Amino acid sequence: MKAPKLIAVYHDLLAHYGPRHWWPANTPFEVMVGAVLTQNTSWTNVERALDRLREVVALEPRAIAALPVDVLANALRPAGYYNVKERRLRALCHWVVDQGGMEALHGMETRALRAALLGVHGVGPETADDIVLYAFGRPVFVIDAYTRRLFARLGFVRGQETYEGLRARFERALPPDTALYNEYHALIVQHAKTTCRTKPVCDACILRACCPASQSFGRHGRKTAFP
């Protein structure tokens, strides 16, 4: 994976979509809550759940952790899998409190912070990296299904690499720039949702000239190799 090509894709996406202003949240802790709730659902549903949660409690770890199980689960209903997410969010809140709060977490070294997050119930690599990047402003590159799809189609990766292996490849190729990683991930998500879909709309893709896969998809992306 070569840096000039990665940077060229970034600039093409940025020129087309403009800054995404991601992650939408009022506080770093709200980013953490959103990262847990967005698993297996759309951001629209997450926003609905956050609004319901704000109606019953302040978005603060101690306050959320103190809610009765049924009250918290009911608030999270719009995000789907609300019983699962109730347990995961509660575990995250208890962890934040046990670590000494958000100020203490901001003081942790990046590797230690990421490792500690991975020990929290329900927090996998992608969720941990969302939190480390968007809540704490550390340069970690988030890998998700959209990233695999787009860069597999572009021929940069196979698409079957391990999470850690693929993350390391991006971080070796790109400078450790938090703002770049922040914007790049948001742009990938935007492009994958609007154009580089499971059935891609290649005719409308600004990257089609450098995308080998676009030749096999045909008009309106009738053939697909990467889900």
Side-chain angles (χ1 to χ4, degrees), residues 199-220:
K199 293 184 178 180
V201 187
C202 294
D203 293 348
C205 182
I206 58 166
L207 302 175
R208 63 185 180 278
C210 63
C211 181
S214 68
Q215 304 305 312
S216 65
F217 290 134
R219 288 185 62 82
H220 308 298

Side-chain angles (χ1 to χ4, degrees), residues 28-37 61 64-65 85-99 102 105 116-117 120-123 127 131 136:
F29 178 69
E30 187 175 327
V31 173
M32 298 176 74
V33 175
V36 170
L37 299 187
I64 294 174
K85 292 182 179 180
E86 182 276 330
R87 292 191 292 272
R88 292 178 178 179
L89 180 55
R90 188 179 299 277
L92 180 69
C93 290
H94 280 299
W95 176 78
V96 172
V97 172
D98 290 345
Q99 295 298 311
M102 293 297 293
L105 292 175
L117 278 164
V120 178
H121 171 71
V123 176
T127 301
I131 291 171
F136 294 97

Side-chain angles (χ1 to χ4, degrees), residues 129-149:
D129 288 341
D130 278 334
I131 291 171
V132 173
L133 174 61
Y134 290 104
F136 294 97
R138 312 295 177 82
V140 297
F141 200 91
V142 178
I143 302 297
D144 60 7
Y146 296 138
T147 307
R148 292 180 184 276
R149 179 198 300 167

Side-chain angles (χ1 to χ4, degrees), residues 41 45 48-49 52 70 72-83:
T41 194
N45 290 334
R48 291 172 181 155
R52 284 169 61 104
D70 59 335
L72 180 53
N74 185 60
L76 303 183
R77 278 180 179 272
Y81 303 98
Y82 54 90
N83 288 320

